[in-house]
Amino acid sequence: VITPCRKLILCADNRKEMEEWIAALKTVQNREHFEPTQYSMDHFSGMHNWYACSHARPTYCNVCREALSGVTSHGLSCEVCKFKAHKRCAVRATNNCKWTTLASIGKDIIEDEDGIAMPHQWLEGNLPVSAKCTVCDKTCGSVLRLQDWRCLWCKAMVHTSCKESLQTKCPLGLCKVSVIPPTALNSIDSDGFWKATCPPSCTSPLLVFVNSKSGDNQGVKFLRRFKQLLNPAQVFDLMNGGPHLGLRLFQKFDTFRILVCGGDGSVGWVLSEIDSLNLHKQR
């Protein structure tokens, strides 16, 4: 992950790849500097969180649409939305990562007589080999090009031609009882709390804390997976600011569940913070 607050030592297989990394780093250095308190809020900004990865099947860049090539590294992938990009293309990727708040949805919001609702958030191509269209139940996707679509929330996959036939509102998928939809997170008030209204579908919102250093750094994989399944605003790395921010943001929810992924120390840390914020009386 390349951010203004990290120092990296990079090794490249060849000069071309090294120059691509240098160009990407220069772009990051030219960005506006953020205060330390804002780093933990990066996943609310729509920016992609890149990591280098390889793929067992042909995969295509979502920026230039060309194939990702390489032996040990096949470019970059966003850990939240799985947006794929060449290293040289990552700096040109639009900040359209998985939505977190109402503001991040923007003009795509659905308004009707029932109020506001969230549409599907589509990402093109790179579908699983076994992908089937939700509408026509036929095989979709391709290993030859970027083709067809996947919703980042309900995981529905559709042909481009079938896309218009699918209902506009996103049902949020199998995890909807635990997911706080972006439409429910309006803004943060002056006290640092979410101005949130949980819809009926979100009967038991889940707040997740992961210690990314636990289990021989296996916590990073848990962080990625939970951000893919839930709203990224519900998932926090204990190594990036501790549990205070997450608990404080959710303090005004009437009821919510907490999942801590880590050792006894991580659990104790969260419990201590719950006591200090006087949250132990909440359901």
Side-chain angles (χ1 to χ4, degrees), residues 109-151:
I109 194 72
I110 299 173
E111 296 186 59
D112 54 25
E113 62 276 4
D114 298 324
I116 59 174
M118 191 182 82
H120 293 280
Q121 185 178 4
W122 299 110
L123 181 65
E124 187 179 11
N126 297 318
L127 303 185
V129 176
S130 58
K132 284 195 173 183
C133 178
T134 303
V135 177
C136 68
D137 201 36
K138 294 181 180 179
T139 302
C140 60
S142 173
V143 295
L144 302 177
R145 65 186 71 86
L146 270 184
Q147 181 175 302
D148 301 328
W149 303 84
R150 170 176 58 89
C151 177

Side-chain angles (χ1 to χ4, degrees), residues 31 48 82 111 142 147 159 245:
R31 290 181 181 173
H48 295 290
K82 296 186 178 181
E111 296 186 59
S142 173
Q147 181 175 302
H159 295 109
L245 177 62

Side-chain angles (χ1 to χ4, degrees), residues 54-119:
S54 58
H55 304 90
R57 51 165 292 183
T59 304
Y60 296 86
C61 175
N62 285 101
V63 179
C64 71
R65 308 181 71 85
E66 297 294 328
L68 298 178
S69 58
V71 179
T72 58
S73 175
H74 291 176
L76 303 177
S77 177
C78 176
E79 65 178 18
V80 179
C81 67
K82 296 186 178 181
F83 189 101
K84 309 293 183 181
H86 294 103
K87 292 168 187 173
R88 64 177 181 272
C89 295
V91 294
R92 295 188 286 114
T94 54
N95 292 337
N96 59 349
C97 195
K98 196 173 184 182
W99 298 323
T100 51
T101 63
L102 182 65
S104 63
I105 302 176
K107 60 182 178 59
D108 295 322
I109 194 72
I110 299 173
E111 296 186 59
D112 54 25
E113 62 276 4
D114 298 324
I116 59 174
M118 191 182 82

Side-chain angles (χ1 to χ4, degrees), residues 20-35:
E20 290 174 359
W21 274 114
I22 292 173
L25 286 169
K26 286 181 178 178
T27 303
V28 171
Q29 289 173 346
N30 290 333
R31 290 181 181 173
E32 182 182 357
H33 180 71
F34 295 95
E35 293 297 323

